[in-house]
C-alpha cells in the first residue's frame, strides 16, 4: 500500500492461496481466546432475516483446490460474476454487464461495490491489547482516538520484515484489525505464537483475540458513495456520516434492519468511499438493499477493476509489492511509524528500522526503495527488470498495468537507492526489449479522500 492511507483500504488486498482457520491448533487452553464471534446485534427484521448462508471455510484437511466462498457468492452469481481463485476463495474478477476497464471507469465516475469478505477481521481486547499490538507493529496506538483507524504492518522480530499489511481501528474497549486473506495461515500462526510469548512474559496483561468468523465486509467506492450510503442509513446514522472523515469509523444502522454495521471511511481505490463490516446473517440482504437503492449509480466490481484502481492509487498488494523480506522503510511506508515510536522504539525490528531511517552520513538508509514508473510502449508486468543506461539491473517491477484513467502504462517496483527520485529516467525490459521509463511519484491518479479540513495557523 503506497500512498498515505489511514484505513483499508481496505486493505490492503491479498493474493495467493490461504488455508482456512486452524481451529484444531488452537484447542489448547491459553490466557487468550480465538473463537468465532456470535453476532452482537439482535436478529434483524424481515428484510435482513432473508439473508442466506454465512461464510464457508474449508476444513484443514480439505484440498487447496476446494475454495472457500464469502456470504455473497450466490449474489455474485446472480449478477453474472466470473470467478477466479484468490486468497483461498472463489472471488469475482468481473461481471457480465461491464468489462474490467468499464468497471474501473464506472468506479471513478459513479460508485462500485466490492466484496472483500475474504479478508480476516479480528478483535483484540483486554488490558494488554494496546501494548501487545504496539510490540508487533510500529504504530502509535496509545495516541489513537476511539473510532479512528490507521494503516500498519505486522513485523517479524529482529529483521523488521513485513508479515502482512493491516488496518487497525480503535473501538471502545477493543481494537478492530483487518488482515489479508492470502496471508491467513501465516497470520494466524504469527498471532498465536506472539500471543503465547506475550502471555508467558506478561501474565498480568491478558489479551483476548477474537476472530469475526463469517462477518461480511464490503467496500463502497466512488464519488457517489456517500450519497448512496446515506439513503440506506437510519436518520441518526446519516448525521454521523456527514462528519465522518477519511480514517474514521462509526457504528450505524441500516434501514429495515436492526443489524449494527461498522462503517469506516476508507478504501483501496483512491476514491472517497467506505468499508462496511456486516453481521453474517445480514450481509446479503444489506448488499442487495444497497444495489437496489442506486440502480443507475452503483454496480458490483471485481478483482480486475480493483487491481487497476489500487495501482493508480499507489496501493500495495501483499506478496507482490510487499513481503517478509521488505521493511516499512524500503516499502516507502516510513510514514506509518509513529513519532514516539521513532524516539523510543519498542517494536519488533526496531533496531533495523530505526537505523534505516537515519541519514546515510549516520550509517543509515536502505539499498532499495519502492517507486512508481510510467513506461513507454508495452506494459511492464511483475518480474520485469529495471535497468540503467548501461543495461545493468538496478531493480524490478512488482506490479504493472495499463492505466485506464491516464491512458499510460504504469508500474510499481523496487529500485536501487539513489535512482529513486521522481524524474529519473531508466529502462524496463519487456519481452526482451528495453522500454523507456521514468520514475514517478505515487499515487499516479490524485486521491479524492474526504479528509478533515486543516485549521489554518494564525
Amino acid at each position: 500500500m503506497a500512498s498515505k492511507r489511514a484505513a483499508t483500504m481496505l486493505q490492503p488486498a491479498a493474493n495467493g492461496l490461504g488455508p482456512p482457520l486452524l481451529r484444531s491448533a488452537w484447542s489448547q487452553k491459553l490466557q487468550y481466546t480465538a473463537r468465532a464471534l456470535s453476532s452482537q446485534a439482535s436478529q434483524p427484521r424481515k428484510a435482513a432475516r432473508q439473508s442466506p448462508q454465512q461464510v464457508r471455510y474449508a476444513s484443514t484437511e480439505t484440498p487447496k483446490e476446494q475454495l472457500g466462498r464469502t456470504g455473497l457468492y450466490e449474489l455474485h452469481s446472480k449478477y453474472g460474476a466470473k470467478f477466479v481463485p484468490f486468497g483461498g476463495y472463489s472471488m469475482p474478477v468481473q461481471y457480465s454487464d461491464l468489462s474490467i476497464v468499464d468497471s474501473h471507469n464506472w468506479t471513478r465516475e459513479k460508485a462500485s461495490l466490492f466484496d472483500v469478505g475474504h479478508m480476516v477481521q479480528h478483535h483484540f481486547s483486554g488490558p494488554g491489547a494496546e501494548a501487545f499490538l504496539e510490540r508487533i507493529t510500529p504504530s502509535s496506538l496509545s495516541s489513537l482516538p476511539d473510532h479512528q483507524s490507521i494503516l500498519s504492518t505486522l513485523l517479524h522480530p529482529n529483521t523488521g520484515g513485513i508479515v502482512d499489511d493491516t488496518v487497525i481501528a480503535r473501538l471502545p474497549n477493543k481494537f478492530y484489525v483487518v488482515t489479508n486473506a492470502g496471508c491467513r495461515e501465516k497470520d494466524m500462526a504469527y498471532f498465536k505464537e506472539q500471543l503465547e510469548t506475550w502471555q508467558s512474559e506478561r501474565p498480568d496483561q491478558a489479551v483476548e483475540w477474537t476472530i469475526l468468523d463469517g462477518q461480511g465486509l464490503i467496500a463502497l467506492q466512488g464519488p457517489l458513495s456517500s450519497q448512496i450510503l446515506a439513503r440506506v442509513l437510519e436518520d441518526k446514522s446519516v448525521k454521523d456520516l456527514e462528519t465522518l472523515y477519511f480514517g474514521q469509523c462509526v457504528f450505524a444502522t441500516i434501514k429495515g434492519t436492526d443489524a449494527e454495521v461498522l462503517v469506516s471511511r476508507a478504501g483501496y481505490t483512491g476514491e472517497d468511499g467506505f468499508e462496511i463490516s456486516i453481521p453474517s446473517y445480514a450481509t446479503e440482504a444489506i448488499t442487495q438493499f444497497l444495489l437496489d437503492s442506486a440502480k443507475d449509480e452503483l454496480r458490483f466490481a471485481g478483482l480486475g477493476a480493483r487491481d487497476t484502481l489500487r495501482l493508480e492509487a499507489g496501493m500495495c498488494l501483499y506478496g507482490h509489492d510487499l513481503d517478509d523480506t521488505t521493511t516499512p522503510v524500503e516499502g516507502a511506508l516510513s510514514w506509518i511509524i509513529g513519532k514516539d515510536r521513532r524516539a523510543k522504539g519498542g517494536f519488533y525490528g526496531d533496531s533495523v528500522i530505526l537505523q534505516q531511517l537515519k541519514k546515510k552520513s549516520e550509517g543509515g538508509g536502505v539499498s532499495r526503495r519502492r517507486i512508481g514508473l510510467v513506461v513507454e510502449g508495452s506494459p511492464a508486468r511483475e518480474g520485469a527488470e529495471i535497468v540503467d543506461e548501461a543495461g545493468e539491473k538496478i531493480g524490478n517491477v512488482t506490479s504493472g498495468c495499463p492505466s485506464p484513467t491516464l491512458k499510460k502504462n504504469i508500474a510499481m517496483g523496487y529500485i536501487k537507492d539513489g535512482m529513486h527520485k521522481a524524474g529519473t529516467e531508466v529502462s524496463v525490459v519487456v519481452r526482451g526489449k528495453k522500454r523507456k521509463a521514468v520514475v514517478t511519484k505515487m499515487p499516479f491518479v490524485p486521491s479524492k479522500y474526504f479528509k478533515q479540513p486543516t485549521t489554518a495557523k494564525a
Side-chain angles (χ1 to χ4, degrees):
M1 304 179 187
S3 61
K4 291 189 180 182
R5 57 186 175 126
T8 236
M9 32 96 295
L10 266 243
Q11 205 308 269
N15 73 294
L17 294 179
L21 303 181
L22 307 177
R23 291 191 182 90
S24 60
W26 304 334
S27 58
Q28 64 267 45
K29 292 185 178 180
L30 301 170
Q31 293 184 37
Y32 64 90
T33 61
R35 66 179 184 274
L37 180 71
S38 59
S39 172
Q40 295 179 357
S42 59
Q43 288 298 313
R45 294 191 286 273
K46 185 175 180 180
R49 278 204 302 270
Q50 295 172 346
S51 163
Q53 77 275 11
Q54 298 180 358
V55 174
R56 289 172 284 178
Y57 299 107
S59 69
T60 54
E61 293 77 25
T62 303
K64 289 184 178 180
E65 295 79 24
Q66 194 164 338
L67 300 170
R69 295 179 177 181
T70 73
L72 295 178
Y73 182 87
E74 300 299 334
L75 193 59
H76 294 314
S77 298
K78 173 183 171 182
Y79 280 83
K82 177 182 178 181
F83 294 95
V84 296
F86 187 82
Y89 281 75
S90 183
M91 296 296 293
V93 66
Q94 69 178 101
Y95 296 82
S96 58
D97 59 339
L98 293 174
S99 68
I100 290 174
V101 171
D102 288 338
S103 183
H104 175 112
N105 292 332
W106 184 280
T107 309
R108 291 274 184 246
E109 296 166 7
K110 297 183 179 182
S112 292
L113 200 60
F114 300 81
D115 179 10
V116 286
H118 60 311
M119 307 283 278
V120 189
Q121 302 174 70
H122 318 252
H123 281 163
F124 289 87
S125 58
E130 179 183 293
F132 170 71
L133 290 173
E134 282 204 328
R135 170 188 272 193
I136 64 175
T137 75
S139 303
S140 297
L141 300 178
S142 59
S143 59
L144 187 68
D146 277 352
H147 300 287
Q148 186 79 37
S149 61
I150 54 173
L151 173 70
S152 191
T153 55
L154 306 176
L155 299 173
H156 283 290
N158 303 319
T159 67
I162 298 173
V163 178
D164 197 3
D165 54 351
T166 183
V167 171
I168 303 175
R170 183 189 284 275
L171 301 176
N173 304 313
K174 65 173 71 83
F175 288 92
Y176 170 69
V177 177
V178 181
T179 55
N180 285 313
C183 297
R184 181 183 300 272
E185 182 178 357
K186 180 176 73 169
D187 290 348
M188 297 307 171
Y190 174 86
F191 283 133
K192 178 178 180 292
E193 179 182 2
Q194 299 310 322
L195 280 166
E196 287 177 333
T197 301
W198 175 266
Q199 298 292 194
S200 67
E201 295 175 354
R202 307 188 187 187
D204 60 330
Q205 296 187 42
V207 178
E208 182 175 339
W209 172 28
T210 305
I211 300 165
L212 281 66
D213 191 9
Q215 186 88 348
L217 188 64
I218 57 175
L220 173 61
Q221 298 285 293
L224 302 183
S225 59
S226 179
Q227 65 187 59
I228 291 171
L229 183 57
R231 290 181 201 146
V232 303
L233 295 180
E234 296 286 5
D235 291 343
K236 180 185 180 301
S237 297
V238 172
K239 292 180 181 179
D240 292 335
L241 189 66
E242 292 172 354
T243 56
L244 189 71
Y245 294 104
F246 180 76
Q248 296 178 339
C249 54
V250 65
F251 287 103
T253 305
I254 306 293
K255 290 178 181 178
T257 81
D258 56 3
E260 187 177 60
V261 300
L262 179 63
V263 176
S264 303
R265 200 146 201 167
Y268 197 50
T269 64
E271 296 291 335
D272 182 26
F274 306 87
E275 291 186 352
I276 307 169
S277 179
I278 312 171
S280 59
Y281 64 81
T283 301
E284 185 179 84
I286 287 174
T287 303
Q288 184 69 73
F289 186 30
L290 273 165
L291 291 166
D292 290 343
S293 73
K295 291 184 177 179
D296 296 327
E297 302 160 327
L298 179 64
R299 294 190 182 184
F300 263 136
L303 295 173
R306 184 169 178 250
D307 195 51
T308 55
L309 289 160
R310 70 94 185 170
L311 188 51
E312 287 187 348
M315 306 291 191
C316 294
L317 180 62
Y318 191 87
H320 296 251
D321 312 303
L322 299 174
D323 60 28
D324 297 283
T325 69
T326 310
T327 68
V329 183
E330 293 172 318
L333 296 172
S334 298
W335 55 271
I336 72 171
I337 305 168
K339 185 177 180 180
D340 61 318
R341 313 310 305 281
R342 296 177 185 228
K344 299 178 182 178
F347 54 89
Y348 281 164
D350 56 358
S351 60
V352 174
I353 292 170
L354 295 181
Q355 185 64 31
Q356 291 178 341
L357 288 172
K358 292 180 180 180
K359 297 177 182 178
K360 280 191 175 181
S361 60
E362 299 173 347
V366 293
S367 61
R368 60 172 185 158
R369 295 181 184 272
R370 183 172 61 87
I371 47 87
L373 292 167
V374 172
V375 184
E376 293 184 10
S378 301
R381 305 293 186 179
E382 180 180 3
E385 291 186 354
I386 305 171
V387 299
D388 61 17
E389 188 176 24
E392 294 294 323
K393 181 181 176 181
I394 55 173
N396 63 283
V397 170
T398 54
S399 291
C401 71
S403 164
T405 302
L406 300 176
K407 305 296 189 294
K408 297 178 181 179
N409 296 318
I410 60 174
M412 186 186 297
Y414 285 82
I415 202 168
K416 181 180 178 181
D417 184 58
M419 302 290 288
H420 65 283
K421 295 182 180 179
T424 301
E425 295 182 354
V426 295
S427 294
V428 178
V429 181
V430 181
R431 300 192 191 95
K433 295 183 179 180
K434 291 198 296 184
R435 305 288 184 180
K436 291 182 179 180
V438 60
V439 177
T440 307
K441 289 183 179 180
M442 295 183 287
F444 297 98
V445 174
S447 300
K448 300 174 184 177
Y449 304 128
F450 185 67
K451 292 186 175 182
Q452 191 165 9
T454 55
T455 304
K457 294 182 179 180

